[in-house]
Amino acid sequence: MNPRLGHHEIEELLGAYALDAVDADEALTLENHLRGCPRCRAEVAAHRETAALLVEDRLEPPPELWDRVTAGMEEVPPPIDLAQFARAERRPSRATPWWLAAAAAVAVVLGAGSFVVQQQRHDQLQAALHSQEVAVEVLAAFNDPGARLATLRSGDGQVHVRAVLLRDGTGYVLADRLPDLSGGRVYQLWAMVDGAPRSAGVLGAEPAMARFHASNATTALAISIEPVGGAEQPTLPVLLTGLLEA
Amino acid sequence: MDHDLVHASDAALIVGVGRWRQDALAEVYRRHAGSVLALARRLLASREEAEEVVQEVFLRLWNQPERFEPARGSLRSYLLAQTHGRAIDRLRSDTARRAREERDARRTATGAYDLEHEVADLVVAEQVRAALAVLSDDEREIVQLAYFGGHTYAEVATMLRTPAGTVKGRMRSALTKLRRELLTTGLVRP
């Protein structure tokens, strides 16, 4: 099958794809397309919802089946393996005062540390930014003379995430270097404003480049790991912190 | 069972699962495992394999609950889509081929099954059945062979001696027509 299908040909396949009735090559082509096309994703979701209604019978699962499910469950989430991400740009971890200050600021504010999971989604970051256009946008932001840059670092200094905040409050974070999470956890971005963390959005479990909005008064950015849906206050310890340039 | 959980929304249950609350997953299982098993069993000849699929689907929900996006659709349809995909993977793998041939032989022997028969006798089923009337016989058969039979559109085309392009287009148009009809019943969200 020709991998370079036009949009019309892709659309024609959406019904078959939703029913898992395409061959493996076509499925790959479709999946590539769907990553960058919200309209087609929505159509596939709608077809799947429709197909699911056709399943109206229920079979009573044997009692021991639930036991088999629970036997496979991990009681605690798997540890995050940061080691694999400490790669080429590893530098001697000098405890530079500015990021320590940011970490300290976050820690002070969070003293009590209680957090409430919001069931409503936070201002969900515009998910992954896949298109070329956006890559150009991100590049332009980093080169904007008025932009404030930040490098968010992990406590051990080995993981770096770059971010930029423009004067109009639009920001971008290149979070794609963070390891994927499992076990129902997501990354969440925080903007420090007047010494208090404000959610700048949930980055998801498989973070990518993301666009966010934050106040001009933001002094630092931080990324924490939270349960799905995000938290109102970051859970300590915060994974990464970084001061924005003045 | 926690009384709150019984009345919790799908989205609230997923938050619970995300916080490693086993009772939240148990409630999801109580609500949906019956449909998940029924779909897996339609597609797979082996009872053991169908149960393995159920196990995989719920374990995946436990490990990666964030993959379910409440804005995109119901938890039930998410779980059934996962089930369908996993069952199809097994069906199309080499080791499953023999079992599938046996199952097809069994189906042939027990005669044709139609979509109306596949739909159980419930109120929702009644509405779904009414909605199915908007489809032509061809469209119904095509959807059925793909969704419950696990066939690709190319296979369906061969079986029905219809051009593949036509079958592919009808899968989409049939689902679209059905959805439009179901929207009037409120069974699906716009």
Side-chain angles (χ1 to χ4, degrees), chain B residues 100 103-104 108 113 141-142 144-146 149-162 167:
Chain B
R100 179 185 197 180
R103 185 204 54 172
D104 281 350
T108 311
Y113 53 108
E141 191 170 18
I142 283 170
Q144 170 202 314
L145 285 169
H151 296 286
T152 64
Y153 75 85
E155 289 168 353
V156 173
T158 307
M159 292 160 85
L160 301 182
R161 295 191 186 85
T162 308
V167 170

Side-chain angles (χ1 to χ4, degrees), chain A residues 11-16 19-23 26 41 43 45-62 65-66 68-70 72-75 77 115 117 119 121 181-186 205-206 227-228, chain B residues 12 15 18-20 22 25-26 29-31 33-35 37-38 41-42 51 54-55 59 62-63 65-67 72-74 76-77 80-81 84-85 92 120 122 124 128 147-148 151-153 168-169 171-172 175-176 178-179 182 188:
Chain A
E11 281 184 334
E12 277 299 292
L13 272 172
L14 293 177
L19 297 172
D20 296 313
V22 296
D23 67 33
E26 287 168 324
R41 274 207 304 274
E43 183 177 327
H47 288 327
R48 289 191 168 149
E49 192 84 27
T50 304
L53 283 169
L54 300 175
V55 181
E56 269 314 321
D57 48 347
R58 299 172 70 95
L59 291 178
E60 186 63 34
L65 188 51
W66 171 247
R68 277 156 57 192
V69 172
T70 53
M73 287 160 114
E74 296 181 51
E75 292 302 329
F115 65 89
V117 172
Q119 294 184 5
R121 278 173 308 285
L181 296 177
S182 61
R185 298 167 302 171
V186 294
E206 294 166 16
V228 168
Chain B
V15 171
R19 308 193 72 188
W20 308 290
Q22 215 187 90
L25 188 75
Y29 184 89
R30 191 187 67 77
R31 290 184 194 180
S35 305
L37 181 59
R41 204 64 185 88
R42 292 247 185 123
E51 289 177 7
V54 176
Q55 207 178 332
L59 264 181
W62 176 253
N63 289 325
E66 68 280 358
R67 286 184 176 268
R72 287 265 205 89
S74 67
R76 180 177 183 277
S77 79
L80 287 176
H84 199 266
R92 292 187 188 149
L122 295 170
V124 172
V128 172
Y147 193 61
F148 292 128
H151 296 286
T152 64
Y153 75 85
K168 167 173 79 175
M171 281 182 184
R172 183 176 182 224
L175 287 169
T176 306
L178 200 51
R179 176 176 171 78
L182 289 167
V188 295

Side-chain angles (χ1 to χ4, degrees), chain B residues 80-186:
Chain B
L80 287 176
Q82 294 280 312
T83 305
H84 199 266
R86 279 168 186 274
I88 291 287
D89 284 349
R90 283 167 181 262
L91 212 50
R92 292 187 188 149
S93 74
D94 285 333
T95 49
R97 185 158 296 149
R98 203 163 52 92
R100 179 185 197 180
E101 282 162 6
E102 281 166 16
R103 185 204 54 172
D104 281 350
R106 184 168 52 109
R107 284 250 162 98
T108 311
T110 55
Y113 53 108
D114 59 23
L115 205 49
E116 282 97 338
H117 260 130
E118 302 276 4
V119 179
D121 212 3
L122 295 170
V123 180
V124 172
E126 202 65 54
Q127 290 172 313
V128 172
R129 191 175 312 165
L132 280 169
V134 301
L135 302 185
S136 69
D137 292 348
D138 269 3
E139 287 171 329
R140 268 200 297 275
E141 191 170 18
I142 283 170
V143 170
Q144 170 202 314
L145 285 169
Y147 193 61
F148 292 128
H151 296 286
T152 64
Y153 75 85
E155 289 168 353
V156 173
T158 307
M159 292 160 85
L160 301 182
R161 295 191 186 85
T162 308
T166 307
V167 170
K168 167 173 79 175
R170 280 188 190 154
M171 281 182 184
R172 183 176 182 224
S173 62
L175 287 169
T176 306
K177 272 161 83 174
L178 200 51
R179 176 176 171 78
R180 207 179 297 136
E181 197 61 22
L182 289 167
L183 277 169
T184 67
T185 67

